[in-house]
Amino acid sequence: MFRVTFWGVRGSIASPGPKTARIGGNTSCLEVRVGRELVVLDGGTGLRLLGEKLLSEMPIRASMFFSHVHWDHIQGFPFFAPAFVKGNSFVLYGGKNVTQTLEETLAGQMNFPTFPVKLTDMGAQMTFRDIAEDEEVRVGDDVVVTCAQLKHPGGVLAYRLEHDGRAIVYATDNEHGPEPDPKLLALAKGADTLVYDAQYTPEEYAGANGAGSKVGWGHSTMMEGARIAKLAGVKRLILFHHDPNQDDAAVERKTERAREAFASTEAAYEGLTVDVGS
Ligand SMILES: [Zn+2]
Ligand SMILES: [Zn+2]
C-alpha cells in the first residue's frame, strides 16, 4: 500500500466558489497511506475534510509533516476533529529553521482572542519533533522520510517518502532560480511521483499579465516543475499549490502547457488519489 489522496491543493488562501469547484479551493493537505502507516503532509484547510473521514477509523495514530508554517499549511489544524479526541496520537514534524518551533506556531494560531480553544486543550496526544534537512526520519518499520531545504520566505522543507522501493516527493512553496536547484534534483531523483509548487504560469510569475511581478514571493511555475521532473527522471508530475486566482480553466491550461514539456503531468485536485509507483 502506497496511496496518496489530495484533500487541499490550493496555495495562499482557500478559494471556494463556482469557478474553482472542479479543482477545489482548500489549501495544502495530503493523506499518505504507506505500509501500515498514516502520514499527513501539511495541515491547510483540506485537513478538516480528512479529519471528518478519519473519525470513522479511530483511534488514529498518524505522523504529520509540515513543510513550513505559513497560514495555508497550518490553518486546518484547529479544525482537525481527531486532534480533539483522547486516545488518538500524533507525531508532528516541522523545520528547525524558523524563529518559533512548530509547536509554538500551532499554539500561537489558537491563542486568545483569535481562537476560542487552546492547543493544549485539544485532547489527543501530540509529540512534536523539529527536524533539520540532513535528518532522516523513520515512520514505523519501513517508511523512510528525508528532506531538503528549498527557497521560500522563512524557509521550507520538501519531503521524500520511500517505501518498498517506491518514492513520492512533496516539494511545495519553492521559488526556482535560473538554474535547477541541485538539492531538489537530488531529493526528487528517480521518484515515482513529484508533487510540485506550480502556483504561477511563467507570465504570472514575471508580471506579464499586468498583475505585478511575483519574483521573490517564494513560488514556482508549472514549466519549472516540468523541467525538474525531466532532469530528475521522475515518472509522474503533479502540479500543486494552485494560485487562488486560477479558475478551473486556467489550471487546465497550465497543465496542458506543462504536458508539452513533460508528458506525464497532471494537476492536483481535491479527491485525486494516486498509487505511488503503479
Ligand atoms: Zn503555501
Ligand atoms: Zn509558504
Side-chain angles (χ1 to χ4, degrees), residues 12 67-73 152-153 155-156 172-174 197 199 217-219 241:
S12 305
S67 61
H68 65 312
V69 294
H70 284 161
W71 284 124
D72 52 322
H73 300 260
H152 194 63
V156 68
T172 190
D173 296 61
N174 173 51
D197 176 354
Q199 176 136 354
W217 288 31
H219 296 290
H241 205 271

Side-chain angles (χ1 to χ4, degrees), residues 126-144:
M126 295 181 206
T127 308
F128 287 88
R129 303 240 173 101
D130 299 324
I131 51 175
E133 76 172 328
D134 49 359
E135 275 177 62
E136 179 180 294
V137 175
R138 281 191 174 266
V139 178
D141 296 332
D142 51 5
V143 183
V144 179

Side-chain angles (χ1 to χ4, degrees), residues 24-248:
N26 282 295
T27 61
S28 304
C29 181
L30 279 65
E31 170 193 11
V32 188
R33 301 280 177 165
V34 49
R36 288 185 300 274
E37 304 299 323
L38 168 58
V39 175
V40 179
L41 297 172
D42 277 334
T45 63
L47 181 63
R48 182 185 64 81
L49 300 165
L50 171 58
E52 253 178 53
K53 190 195 79 163
L54 293 178
L55 289 177
S56 63
E57 297 179 28
M58 295 204 293
I60 304 292
R61 185 179 57 81
S63 303
M64 303 181 74
F65 289 84
F66 290 81
S67 61
H68 65 312
V69 294
H70 284 161
W71 284 124
D72 52 322
H73 300 260
I74 64 169
Q75 224 164 14
F77 196 77
F79 300 90
F80 182 45
F84 287 86
V85 181
K86 215 176 162 162
N88 292 338
S89 62
F90 300 97
V91 184
L92 301 101
Y93 297 88
K96 247 177 195 163
N97 56 305
V98 284
T99 51
Q100 289 188 315
T101 64
L102 174 65
E103 183 172 12
E104 286 165 344
T105 307
L106 290 188
Q109 78 165 340
M110 298 176 74
N111 272 348
F112 181 84
T114 52
F115 202 74
V117 184
K118 284 186 163 53
L119 182 74
T120 47
D121 294 333
M122 283 182 98
Q125 188 198 324
M126 295 181 206
T127 308
F128 287 88
R129 303 240 173 101
D130 299 324
I131 51 175
E133 76 172 328
D134 49 359
E135 275 177 62
E136 179 180 294
V137 175
R138 281 191 174 266
V139 178
D141 296 332
D142 51 5
V143 183
V144 179
V145 182
T146 48
C147 57
Q149 182 72 237
L150 300 183
K151 199 176 157 220
H152 194 63
V156 68
L157 289 177
Y159 292 106
R160 179 183 177 111
L161 276 63
E162 283 191 54
H163 168 68
D164 198 21
R166 293 173 284 166
I168 183 170
V169 171
Y170 177 66
T172 190
D173 296 61
N174 173 51
E175 183 155 358
H176 57 283
E179 299 303 322
D181 183 340
K183 281 202 281 188
L184 175 56
L185 286 179
L187 190 77
K189 190 164 193 250
D192 295 280
T193 305
L194 170 64
V195 180
Y196 187 72
D197 176 354
Q199 176 136 354
Y200 303 124
T201 65
E203 295 76 23
E204 288 165 347
Y205 179 70
N209 64 340
S213 162
K214 304 293 190 289
V215 175
W217 288 31
H219 296 290
S220 193
T221 69
M222 77 294 190
M223 300 317 290
E224 180 68 12
R227 174 161 82 149
I228 295 291
K230 201 185 262 183
L231 289 171
V234 310
K235 296 194 182 77
R236 189 170 180 176
L237 170 65
I238 300 182
L239 306 178
F240 184 72
H241 205 271
H242 308 301
D243 190 83
N245 294 321
Q246 286 172 356
D247 62 14
D248 290 337

